[in-house]
Amino acid sequence: MGDRAKLHELRQQAHNAGIEGNSKMTEQQLRDAMRRVSKGERPEMAKQEARR
């Protein structure tokens, strides 16, 4: 799978997890935010913390 396809799939997973507006997040930020959500953090806070 190409990098673009992998990133697109990751963005879709983040969207499904409730992390809205993730188009400008990097792969690492997306992974961090999704990890935080899986541990019970609210999606908005996970996104905000991951972008720092």
Side-chain angles (χ1 to χ4, degrees), residues 20-45:
E20 301 290 330
N22 62 42
S23 65
K24 292 186 175 146
M25 293 175 74
T26 66
E27 180 180 355
Q28 186 59 43
Q29 289 172 331
L30 287 165
R31 290 187 187 283
D32 185 33
M34 288 177 36
R35 181 179 48 79
R36 290 170 182 272
V37 168
S38 72
K39 290 183 177 181
E41 195 168 327
R42 289 192 355 251
E44 304 87 28
M45 292 303 296

Side-chain angles (χ1 to χ4, degrees), residues 3-4 6 8 16 19 25 28 31 34 44 50 52:
D3 287 340
R4 283 185 70 125
K6 187 170 87 172
H8 177 73
N16 293 341
I19 302 168
M25 293 175 74
Q28 186 59 43
R31 290 187 187 283
M34 288 177 36
E44 304 87 28
R52 290 184 179 196

Side-chain angles (χ1 to χ4, degrees), residues 3-15:
D3 287 340
R4 283 185 70 125
K6 187 170 87 172
L7 187 57
H8 177 73
E9 178 65 26
L10 192 57
R11 290 189 195 291
Q12 186 62 47
Q13 289 174 9
H15 178 77

